[in-house]
Amino acid sequence: MKAYLLPACILLGFITVAIAQNEAPKPRGEKITLKLNLPKGEKRTLSSEMEMKRSMTAAGQVFDVSMKMGTTMSVVCLDVDTDGLHTLTLSYDKLRLAMLMGGVPLVDYDSTRAENVPNPVTAAIAALVAGELTLKMKPDGSTTSVEGVDAIAEKAAGNVAGLNIDQLKTQIRAMVKSFEQMGGAYPKVPVDIGDSWISEMEMTTDPNLPMKIKATYTLHNRKDGVAIIKLDGTITSQADLKGSVKGDMHMDEKTGWITGGEMAITLAGKVVDPTAGPVQVDMTSTVKITGK
């Protein structure tokens, strides 16, 4: 049976959120502008840890899947033009993926050790670690171009016979798109504590299962140059899958870089597997982010 939602879960593993205070502070009467504003030559990192549990029920059988994924990503700002357009390189320093079904290991990959038997999942991950992407990103977090996708996909295809290279390119581009999720925390106008804004994102890592995230962000507090932003969103898809994303993020007010985060994700509903027919999916996951 096809392992649905793995790419989507990985994407969700790159959404950045953090813990905020419980009591809502009062507005200061002072609005701030939050945007990507990295200096030329600056190097930043984002590390994430995700734990996911998923139950799939098909033809009366239950398949329990658990997954742990850890990543460390480096971003270098090569240039910033007069309009604030950033030229960035993005590379993965480390990737760790462990996946079990019914207690039986399906994937056990660690980029810090050599892989003896490549497979479609580990080959794609290994190519990401070995490759580098170049992005043009606006201050609002949206990208205008991405270079390096073809080289990474072709390297992965060279390691595993029969790998669908076009689908892999789509997944890599979608993972880059998930990096833009950071930009969802950038409001279009200056905001004060208590102000909210809405952001929408499409996820297409699996062409057969596109999803949308619609989230409301709220500037919850400000402390020592860090903006604390709460997140409350919904997940929908063309299939009968719905869910939620809740959490907070910490953002450096000067550069717009995420410095920490935590979130909870739920997803439930039915998908149709070509071989197994209707499949009931129930998933919960948690993500923790650390940025420097």
Side-chain angles (χ1 to χ4, degrees):
M1 181 176 66
K2 180 177 178 180
Y4 277 96
L5 306 180
L6 175 58
C9 293
I10 292 175
L11 263 180
L12 294 172
F14 298 106
I15 302 175
T16 49
V17 289
I19 300 175
Q21 301 176 14
N22 291 326
E23 296 182 0
K26 297 180 180 179
R28 293 186 180 183
E30 175 188 4
K31 293 183 179 292
I32 59 171
T33 299
L34 298 174
K35 63 180 182 179
L36 184 66
N37 186 34
L38 293 175
K40 180 179 179 180
E42 186 96 333
K43 181 178 180 179
R44 295 279 177 155
T45 62
L46 278 177
S47 297
S48 69
E49 295 289 337
M50 183 186 75
E51 293 190 16
M52 181 272 292
K53 292 183 178 181
R54 185 172 79 236
S55 176
M56 299 182 294
T57 305
Q61 291 185 296
V62 178
F63 302 86
D64 291 321
V65 179
S66 62
M67 182 175 74
K68 291 185 179 181
M69 183 174 182
T71 68
T72 298
M73 178 179 67
S74 290
V75 175
V76 178
C77 181
L78 300 181
D79 193 25
V80 184
D81 69 13
T82 55
D83 294 323
L85 183 67
H86 290 60
T87 301
L88 307 172
T89 60
L90 186 156
S91 58
Y92 288 92
D93 302 324
K94 297 179 183 179
L95 267 167
R96 173 80 173 95
L97 177 62
M99 188 173 181
L100 304 175
M101 177 177 282
V104 178
L106 293 180
V107 179
D108 186 5
Y109 176 83
D110 188 335
S111 64
T112 62
R113 69 170 188 254
E115 286 296 297
N116 296 320
V117 183
N119 63 57
V121 175
T122 61
I125 294 175
L128 277 173
V129 175
E132 182 178 87
L133 298 169
T134 301
L135 289 68
K136 298 284 187 178
M137 182 169 281
K138 295 181 180 180
D140 65 1
S142 61
T143 58
T144 61
S145 67
V146 180
E147 298 178 0
V149 173
D150 289 353
I152 291 175
E154 289 167 5
K155 181 177 178 61
N159 293 334
V160 178
L163 189 65
N164 188 323
I165 190 169
D166 291 332
Q167 184 171 339
L168 179 57
K169 289 178 182 180
T170 299
Q171 292 178 354
I172 294 172
R173 291 190 180 96
M175 291 183 72
V176 175
K177 195 74 175 177
S178 73
F179 179 62
E180 293 187 63
Q181 180 66 19
M182 181 174 66
Y186 301 139
K188 297 183 182 302
V189 296
V191 291
D192 193 0
I193 292 174
D195 288 344
S196 298
W197 59 99
I198 296 175
S199 176
E200 296 186 31
M201 174 187 175
E202 292 188 0
M203 300 190 306
T204 55
T205 44
D206 186 341
N208 299 314
L209 195 62
M211 295 186 185
K212 291 183 179 180
I213 296 178
K214 183 176 182 180
T216 298
Y217 295 82
T218 301
L219 179 57
H220 179 74
N221 201 1
R222 298 173 59 194
K223 185 176 181 181
D224 300 328
V226 176
I228 302 170
I229 302 169
K230 296 182 73 68
L231 165 68
D232 190 345
T234 58
I235 304 172
T236 58
S237 73
Q238 293 181 2
D240 183 23
L241 282 173
K242 297 180 180 179
S244 65
V245 181
K246 296 180 183 294
D248 314 332
M249 64 172 61
H250 289 180
M251 178 186 290
D252 178 55
E253 294 181 357
K254 184 177 180 180
T255 64
W257 193 252
I258 304 303
T259 59
E262 206 171 280
M263 77 172 175
I265 303 165
T266 63
L267 194 64
K270 291 183 178 180
V271 297
V272 178
D273 187 284
T275 58
V279 180
Q280 174 66 36
V281 178
D282 296 279
M283 186 197 81
T284 61
S285 62
T286 58
V287 182
K288 294 183 180 180
I289 299 290
T290 303
K292 295 181 181 180

